[in-house]
Amino acid sequence: MNTDGPPVAGQGGAKPPREGALASRLPRPSDEPAVSRSDQIARIIESRQPLARDIEQVQYHLLHLSEMLTALEQQRDRMVQMGEEGMSARLRDIDLAALQYKLTTELENLDRLSHRFARDTLHIGVIGRARQGKSRLLQSLSGLTSTEIPDGDRQHCTGVRSTISHNPGVAPYAEVWFYTMRGFLDEVIAPYYYQLRLGQPPDRLDEFAGKPLPALAANLSTGYAEPQAKYEHLRRYRNTLDQYYRLLSAPSPRRISPQEIRNYVAQDTPDGQRTNVTHFAVREVKVVCSFPQEDVGKIAMIDLPGLGDTGIGDQERLIATLGHEVDIILLVRMPRAAGDQWSDVDVQLYDLARAALPDLPLDQWSFLVLNRTSALSNNGDNLKNCRDLQDTLTSEGHMEVIDCLVADCANPQEVQHTVLDRVLSYLASHMTALDYRYARSCQDRLLSLQQDTHAELEKARQALGSVPSAASEFPLFQRLFRGVWDDLTGGLERLLKELDGQRTRENPVFEAHVERALEVCRTDTVLPSIEAIEIRRDRFGSYEMAYQEYLHELRTHLTRHFLALDEGLRLSTDEVKEQVAAVLVQQGRMGTLTPSRGVDFLRAMVDQMLQEYPLFCASFETLATFELSYRGFIQYRIRRTLDELTPDLTSLALSSHPSAYEVLECLCSLYHETLYKVRLALTNWLSEPNEAAFAIAEEFTDQVLRAEGAREGWERFYYEVRGEIWASEFQKFGESSMVRRQWQEAIQRVDEASRPDRFQFLRGGEEGV
């Protein structure tokens, strides 16, 4: 066998998956030949973490898109019921159900991908039918014994999934995760009821324990062995429930010693008696130990229960584990010494593994281990049959893997050299490329889904057809529009004249806030006492230094009070916005378009009504977001009046022999003088909010009434919403207009939720694609 690359057994070699954007994040082994294998594995794990976070963001966006598609589908269904036949047919042609199905599928795929990239270890899964040597292979790989990894040569031994993690220098221990009562009923018991057609599964544990099992249907109980065997499995779960039910409410994880592991994972006792049922309550066991092999890195082995038992759910759990938890698979097969060949059960296991991760060809993430036994073993010397199966893997078994390895699973040195070295080297050199291929496949499907979504949205936009029109209604509309246009222009012009007349007057709202701030400054001076001045002087050893520090404190304390002017400025600007909105609602008759009023009316018009009218939309947005602030409008002006409270600029210096009384007198004089200057300055600016109000209102009026094409734009807008504005005159168009608008809004929300960047988790260049 070629061990330098990733050959496919029986084909002389296959190309490894090519690397791209994800791979470019990783340092490549060929760039640094001295890097150890464990360091290479650590870098692979580290490079996965950012991608896992990016995938989680895409999952969040896709869930939001699903909600928006559901809303669009509900709106579509309502419209189908009320629409004319042609429109209803076009609406039904929008295949939103197919989009939702694809979306659900891709969310499940992303969940597997995210889980894979978020792990802090690389995982090697060991699978095979019962009694093929899986447990002995794991013992040889990990250095553990049959105490920690039970084995047996009679019936199925392992009954629970186990994860065996490498942690250098750590004494072995294990942690047990139990099913909850709800999880046990839903994941373990319910599948038996569904598959065996036993009716509604029990909803409570006491119901499962207290009621007799429903009888197996006659068509399943007569002549068919498998349903009866599965029914007996279910009966055993019920009849032994009293031996393990307390564990279903036990906290997880429970730390146990190596000697206790068998009791939680094995189906039988050490002497082969099939009486152990504790594992029925166990979801998973995690074993931590130090592997004997050097330069292993952050890896873990996953031991899956042997297939071939008649328990229901085993295959589903195997597929779920392989898809979510496993990076590389080891398929274990022990040829019979007396003669053997590839059979249906081998192909079925291979196909089962392949179904776990369709995005990656199984021949790029699986090894086949043929368990070689000696003449002294119960199986006898099977080396010849190992070679025969190895040679006929593809020709007769029709299976392709990275490599088909022959090793004695009970021989630790042989397993570590023949199996573990080969697998770890492959992981270190090819996992980056495999990750990229997997991620690229998911990404391509997401981008295809995004294109499909936009194709359906285009059908949705066209589904309602053109706005219905009647020749007889247009003269009526023109007459009504002329009236509302005159009212709207007249109302805005009258408002401008009113605001123009107030430009030089003090704004009463702003003036009240200024007076309130000045009053607080007069009463809350924080001037120090004589005692405090003396303490400060002693601290600094100088009245001069104490005086300078008090100047800083008075200045900052004074200016802090004027931050409250922000509220007065906001109320002043809100007032003019509400005045403009009132004209639009009343004279412009736009009140029927949205229940919002005042500033909220302007925002609602931007969000809901004017997206197709960029000029009007921008003007409404500018008016709605216009603000005056203390920092931008007043602060820089007040700073000019504060020089006397600045040590380097003050004109009032202390004498050559100062005292605490002199310091206090100077501080009082400077504070009140500065406050007087601030009052004079603010008094001069009391009219400026009115100046700003007139300016923004005039700018708004210019853009929505006087700009080129403004009247024609409003005429188109009013015609579109005529049924809502003039409901009595255009009654039959009112409902249609509102439904049309709601439909367009629902489409717009889906369009926003399905932007290409919402589907993208692979970033940057994609070399080698």
Side-chain angles (χ1 to χ4, degrees):
M1 283 288 165
N2 176 14
T3 58
D4 296 327
V8 176
Q11 288 195 347
K15 295 180 181 178
R18 293 177 291 176
E19 302 183 24
L22 171 61
S24 66
R25 299 185 184 188
L26 289 172
R28 304 184 183 185
S30 58
D31 297 334
E32 299 182 47
V35 174
S36 67
R37 188 166 56 197
S38 58
D39 285 342
Q40 292 172 16
I41 290 174
R43 292 185 183 186
I44 292 170
I45 294 168
E46 183 181 357
S47 72
R48 286 174 158 189
Q49 306 298 319
L51 198 61
R53 292 190 290 270
D54 291 342
I55 292 170
E56 288 175 2
Q57 280 297 308
V58 171
Q59 288 176 292
Y60 171 81
H61 291 315
L62 293 186
L63 287 171
H64 176 64
L65 174 59
S66 180
E67 293 176 2
M68 296 302 100
L69 283 172
T70 298
L72 183 65
E73 189 168 18
Q74 292 170 347
Q75 178 72 9
R76 188 268 308 273
D77 294 342
R78 288 193 294 268
M79 294 169 63
V80 166
Q81 298 300 319
M82 59 183 291
E84 52 90 18
E85 185 176 346
M87 183 184 76
S88 295
R90 291 191 297 272
L91 287 168
R92 280 192 291 266
D93 189 49
I94 306 166
D95 199 350
L96 298 176
L99 287 180
Q100 286 280 29
Y101 177 78
K102 292 177 183 178
L103 198 56
T104 300
T105 300
E106 292 312 319
L107 280 168
E108 293 172 356
N109 291 332
L110 285 177
D111 186 58
R112 284 195 293 269
L113 190 62
S114 174
H115 193 84
R116 176 189 184 96
F117 290 157
R119 283 192 267 107
D120 58 3
T121 51
L122 296 185
H123 286 178
I124 301 171
V126 181
I127 66 172
R129 302 188 69 79
R131 299 178 302 279
Q132 298 298 302
K134 288 191 306 90
S135 295
R136 287 191 171 88
L137 174 67
L138 286 163
Q139 292 169 12
S140 296
L141 289 169
S142 64
L144 299 175
T145 67
S146 59
T147 299
E148 299 86 8
I149 304 178
D151 56 31
D153 55 7
R154 296 173 69 178
Q155 302 185 62
H156 297 78
C157 183
T158 305
V160 173
R161 185 182 90 185
S162 301
T163 301
I164 307 162
S165 300
H166 170 57
N167 193 344
V170 172
Y173 70 90
E175 293 178 332
V176 182
W177 269 258
F178 299 105
Y179 284 106
T180 62
M181 291 186 184
R182 182 78 269 152
F184 176 73
L185 290 171
D186 291 346
E187 299 173 43
V188 178
I189 301 303
Y192 282 89
Y193 276 74
Y194 294 135
Q195 193 173 124
L196 298 177
R197 302 179 215 168
L198 299 177
Q200 186 68 23
D203 189 56
R204 301 186 316 276
L205 203 62
D206 58 354
E207 181 184 349
F208 177 55
K211 292 184 178 180
L213 288 180
L216 194 62
N219 62 337
L220 294 178
S221 61
T222 304
Y224 294 98
E226 185 177 4
Q228 295 183 56
K230 291 178 178 179
Y231 189 77
E232 288 305 315
H233 263 278
L234 178 62
R235 190 195 302 276
R236 188 164 182 245
Y237 272 114
R238 179 184 176 277
N239 291 345
T240 60
L241 183 62
D242 62 324
Q243 299 181 43
Y244 64 86
Y245 78 93
R246 291 181 180 83
L247 296 176
L248 298 175
S249 57
S252 296
R254 171 185 291 182
R255 184 156 175 163
I256 61 174
S257 67
Q259 292 73 28
E260 297 175 274
I261 295 176
R262 184 183 187 98
N263 184 50
Y264 289 94
V265 303
Q267 299 190 55
D268 55 15
T269 61
D271 60 358
Q273 300 301 310
R274 203 171 178 81
T275 57
N276 186 35
V277 295
T278 303
H279 67 279
F280 283 166
V282 178
R283 180 187 294 276
E284 180 184 9
V285 171
K286 295 185 178 181
V287 182
V288 179
C289 65
S290 180
F291 289 8
Q293 181 86 343
E294 293 184 0
D295 197 18
V296 170
K298 300 176 71 174
I299 67 165
M301 307 287 181
I302 297 184
D303 179 15
L304 294 160
L307 294 180
D309 202 350
T310 52
I312 290 179
D314 292 344
Q315 292 189 359
E316 291 78 6
R317 283 188 282 273
L318 172 67
I319 291 176
T321 299
L322 293 179
H324 283 79
E325 300 288 348
V326 172
D327 297 297
I328 289 291
I329 296 176
L330 301 185
L331 298 114
V332 181
R333 171 77 149 82
M334 184 174 68
R336 293 189 298 273
D340 211 340
Q341 62 184 0
W342 296 115
S343 64
D344 291 345
V345 293
D346 298 311
V347 177
Q348 289 168 6
L349 177 61
Y350 181 87
D351 288 343
L352 198 65
R354 182 167 55 185
L357 208 59
D359 289 315
L360 280 182
L362 189 58
D363 59 33
Q364 293 177 1
W365 61 293
S366 64
F367 288 84
L368 179 64
V369 179
L370 295 175
N371 183 11
R372 182 179 64 80
T373 57
S374 68
L376 299 178
S377 69
N378 292 336
N379 186 55
D381 186 353
N382 67 352
L383 179 60
K384 181 178 182 300
N385 287 318
C386 287
R387 296 303 185 196
D388 289 344
L389 292 184
Q390 190 178 40
D391 292 339
T392 59
L393 177 61
T394 56
S395 60
E396 296 181 13
H398 307 289
M399 295 177 285
E400 296 177 351
V401 294
I402 300 165
D403 208 348
C404 182
L405 309 172
V406 177
D408 181 355
C409 292
N411 186 320
Q413 289 74 28
E414 188 172 336
V415 165
Q416 290 167 23
H417 175 72
T418 304
V419 179
L420 188 59
D421 271 346
R422 177 75 175 94
V423 172
L424 291 182
S425 295
Y426 184 85
L427 275 173
S429 58
H430 294 100
M431 187 49 58
T432 295
L434 286 171
D435 282 348
Y436 173 72
R437 178 167 185 166
Y438 185 10
R440 180 74 265 170
S441 178
C442 289
Q443 181 67 88
D444 288 345
R445 283 198 313 275
L446 285 178
L447 295 178
S448 176
L449 173 60
Q450 192 268 338
Q451 293 170 1
D452 291 345
T453 303
H454 275 243
E456 296 303 317
L457 283 184
E458 189 56 36
K459 289 161 62 175
R461 292 187 180 97
Q462 304 300 324
L464 303 192
S466 58
V467 178
S469 177
S472 60
E473 78 168 44
F474 197 66
L476 172 61
F477 166 75
Q478 286 185 312
R479 179 172 60 81
L480 293 170
F481 176 71
R482 282 195 298 270
V484 80
W485 179 253
D486 290 342
D487 291 343
L488 178 60
T489 54
L492 286 175
E493 289 294 342
R494 285 191 296 274
L495 176 60
L496 283 182
K497 289 179 182 178
E498 180 185 340
L499 294 174
D500 187 30
Q502 297 172 357
R503 290 169 67 179
T504 59
R505 301 177 189 170
E506 290 96 352
N507 183 288
V509 175
F510 182 55
E511 183 180 20
H513 280 76
V514 168
E515 286 298 333
R516 194 175 302 128
L518 290 171
E519 179 61 26
V520 172
C521 291
R522 280 194 296 270
T523 57
D524 183 22
T525 62
V526 296
L527 287 167
S529 64
I530 295 296
E531 292 77 7
I533 294 172
E534 292 289 4
I535 293 172
R536 186 77 60 92
R537 183 265 168 213
D538 292 344
R539 182 189 306 161
F540 293 118
S542 164
Y543 282 114
E544 182 65 35
M545 292 182 67
Y547 178 54
Q548 292 181 7
E549 186 168 86
Y550 277 124
L551 288 176
H552 285 307
E553 292 175 3
L554 287 178
R555 186 180 70 255
T556 56
H557 185 75
L558 181 66
T559 56
R560 189 179 304 123
H561 290 310
F562 292 109
L563 294 175
L565 296 182
D566 261 335
E567 178 66 9
L569 292 169
R570 185 189 65 78
L571 292 174
S572 300
T573 55
D574 280 355
E575 184 177 13
V576 70
K577 296 177 191 178
E578 290 170 358
Q579 290 173 305
V580 172
V583 172
L584 296 169
V585 167
Q586 296 166 17
Q587 282 73 37
R589 301 193 63 164
M590 299 182 195
T592 56
L593 302 179
T594 172
S596 302
R597 292 295 180 264
V599 180
D600 290 338
F601 167 81
L602 300 174
R603 296 193 181 100
M605 290 294 290
V606 171
D607 295 338
Q608 302 172 18
M609 304 299 301
L610 296 172
Q611 292 297 322
E612 297 181 14
Y613 299 86
L615 175 63
F616 301 154
C617 190
S619 301
F620 274 69
E621 178 76 23
T622 299
L623 177 61
T625 58
F626 172 70
E627 298 287 352
L628 293 176
S629 69
Y630 165 74
R631 288 184 174 85
F633 185 62
I634 293 176
Q635 186 183 50
Y636 74 96
R637 302 177 180 184
I638 287 183
R639 299 302 298 188
R640 303 170 189 167
T641 67
L642 302 178
D643 289 352
E644 289 295 340
L645 294 179
T646 303
D648 290 343
L649 302 176
T650 185
S651 61
L652 188 57
L654 297 177
S655 65
S656 57
H657 300 288
S659 66
Y661 289 98
E662 182 183 350
V663 170
L664 180 58
E665 184 179 352
C666 289
L667 292 174
C668 287
S669 175
L670 290 175
Y671 183 80
H672 290 294
E673 179 183 347
T674 299
L675 190 58
Y676 176 73
K677 290 179 180 179
V678 170
R679 169 181 278 280
L680 288 179
L682 288 174
T683 301
N684 292 331
W685 304 327
L686 292 177
S687 64
E688 296 212 12
N690 288 346
E691 289 276 8
F694 172 77
I696 190 63
E698 185 176 44
E699 175 65 19
F700 176 81
T701 303
D702 279 347
Q703 295 300 324
V704 301
L705 296 186
R706 300 162 182 160
E708 182 181 0
R711 189 184 190 282
E712 291 78 7
W714 281 117
E715 188 171 13
R716 289 196 305 274
F717 173 76
Y718 273 93
Y719 187 73
E720 183 179 320
V721 297
R722 65 195 183 284
E724 296 172 69
I725 290 183
W726 296 289
S728 59
E729 291 86 347
F730 298 100
Q731 184 174 6
K732 65 178 181 178
F733 299 100
E735 187 174 355
S736 173
S737 175
M738 181 176 296
V739 167
R740 184 178 294 271
R741 177 163 55 84
Q742 291 171 345
W743 179 245
Q744 294 298 332
E745 290 170 0
I747 291 173
Q748 180 63 31
R749 287 191 288 269
V750 175
D751 190 50
E752 172 64 21
S754 59
R755 294 198 325 250
D757 61 292
R758 303 288 177 91
F759 290 73
Q760 194 82 32
F761 62 85
L762 283 182
R763 313 289 179 181
E766 297 177 359
E767 58 191 64
V769 179

